[in-house]
């Protein structure tokens, strides 16, 4: 269940997206704005199982599946206490600022603020590596 997407946390220009569909690690999000503003996310893990001490990498793919450009995208993911972020591992295919924070539940919150405009049909990804506790 490493890639189970029950919800997604993405902001585009401030407003939060509404999840309109999700299935097997893929979620489609819609934003309230003129035109069809949609972003499809797909989270994949290097493997479905892991033992303590093993490393696991995750990739979140994003596709502008709407008909208007998306600016000021902020992609957020949270690591449960069972996973420890490997320093220096987070990366992005698009120019992005990466930060971490601690959530109220103790999870490490990963945040990418994408600096690029994602035009209709364009895609990108973020990637990070973890150690299983």
């Amino acid at each position: 269940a490493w890639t189970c997407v029950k919800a997604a946390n993405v902001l585009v220009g401030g407003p939060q997206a509404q999840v309109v569909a999700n299935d097997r690690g893929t979620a489609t999000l819609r934003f309230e704005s003129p035109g069809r503003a949609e972003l499809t996310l797909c989270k994949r893990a290097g493997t479905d199982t892991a033992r303590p001490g093993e490393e696991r990498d995750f990739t979140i793919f994003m596709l502008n599946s709407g008909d208007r450009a998306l600016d000021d995208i902020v992609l957020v993911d949270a690591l449960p206490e069972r996973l420890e972020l490997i320093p220096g591992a987070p990366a992005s295919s698009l120019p992005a600022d990466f930060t971490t924070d601690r959530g109220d539940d103790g999870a490490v919150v990963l945040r990418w603020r994408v600096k690029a405009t994602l035009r209709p049909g364009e895609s990108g990804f973020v990637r990070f590596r973890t150690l299983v506790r």
Side-chain angles (χ1 to χ4, degrees):
W2 295 112
T3 59
C4 181
V5 177
K6 294 181 183 174
N9 190 354
V10 175
L11 304 173
V12 175
Q16 187 167 352
Q18 173 190 8
V19 177
V20 294
N22 64 50
D23 182 43
R24 298 183 183 184
T26 301
T28 300
L29 299 94
R30 187 164 292 141
F31 306 89
E32 290 298 324
S33 63
R36 194 180 88 235
E38 286 187 349
L39 183 67
T40 299
L41 300 177
C42 179
K43 183 176 181 181
R44 295 286 179 236
T47 183
D48 291 336
T49 61
R51 298 172 200 247
E54 292 182 337
E55 292 184 4
R56 289 293 163 257
D57 43 284
F58 296 88
T59 304
I60 303 173
F61 299 94
M62 55 188 146
L63 167 69
N64 182 343
S65 50
D67 60 8
R68 62 180 282 270
L70 300 175
D71 294 301
D72 196 24
I73 298 170
V74 179
L75 178 63
V76 180
D77 199 6
L79 298 181
E81 290 185 20
R82 184 173 177 209
L83 297 176
E84 178 182 335
L85 180 66
I86 295 175
S92 175
S93 66
L94 301 169
D97 291 326
F98 175 76
T99 58
T100 61
D101 200 359
R102 181 80 50 193
D104 293 338
D105 61 355
V108 174
V109 178
L110 313 176
R111 185 181 321 271
W112 288 266
R113 181 173 297 280
V114 179
K115 297 179 189 178
T117 297
L118 200 60
R119 302 200 186 295
E122 290 184 338
S123 61
F125 66 85
V126 297
R127 181 175 291 147
F128 58 97
R129 194 161 184 80
T130 63
L131 180 65
V132 180
R133 297 181 189 173

